[in-house]
Amino acid sequence: MITVALAAALRDAGLRWHPTTGDRFVIDKPGVDDDVYTVSEMTVERHDYPSGTVLGFNGTTEWALDSVDAAESLWLPREDQLRELLGPAFVSLTTGYTVTATITGEARTFTEPLAADAYGQALLAYISAALA
């Protein structure tokens, strides 16, 4: 799982989240951003309203929460989601967790202790270059 800091950098660079079952997130507020939640029909459901998307908490697990706006949440994309978002820019993942991606026509490498973080750094560079 990527760090909250990397997830925030991706969001700030322009990555948008459309919550779906299996997605992980934190509530983007100091003091409560340590707990990771998963969107699920059983515990955390996505509700779409004209005013925006709300993540509703069901059952007793998150008894203190009724719901939270998706805008107050921070998506923690999984490794497979990050790879998919890189799309055709993705070239390879090698041992040692080095992702190679083609960004602005040249191959760039991103090495991190975790594969998800390497994908996240590559995606951050890709988004930043696309919007520059």
Side-chain angles (χ1 to χ4, degrees):
M1 178 170 45
I2 67 171
T3 65
V4 170
L6 180 52
L10 285 164
R11 180 207 49 215
D12 295 347
L15 182 62
R16 296 295 168 250
W17 179 36
H18 305 284
T20 188
T21 299
D23 285 353
R24 293 176 299 206
F25 67 96
V26 295
I27 297 173
D28 195 20
K29 292 183 179 181
V32 294
D33 60 353
D34 291 335
D35 293 325
V36 176
Y37 299 96
T38 302
V39 177
S40 156
E41 283 84 27
M42 296 297 295
T43 310
V44 181
E45 274 186 293
R46 171 187 166 167
H47 304 281
D48 293 312
Y49 300 106
S51 59
T53 300
V54 173
L55 301 170
F57 291 81
N58 303 318
T60 58
T61 305
E62 284 77 18
W63 61 269
L65 293 170
D66 287 330
S67 64
V68 63
D69 278 344
E72 295 177 306
S73 302
L74 180 62
W75 179 33
L76 302 172
R78 298 182 312 267
E79 180 182 331
D80 63 303
Q81 292 170 315
L82 293 162
R83 184 175 48 249
E84 183 179 332
L85 287 164
L86 272 172
F90 173 69
V91 175
S92 66
L93 171 68
T94 59
T95 307
Y97 305 121
T98 297
V99 168
T100 302
T102 303
I103 300 172
T104 61
E106 62 183 75
R108 293 187 50 196
T109 59
F110 304 86
T111 303
E112 294 289 336
L114 300 172
D117 287 332
Y119 280 114
Q121 292 295 342
L123 182 59
L124 180 59
Y126 181 68
I127 291 169
S128 298
L131 297 176

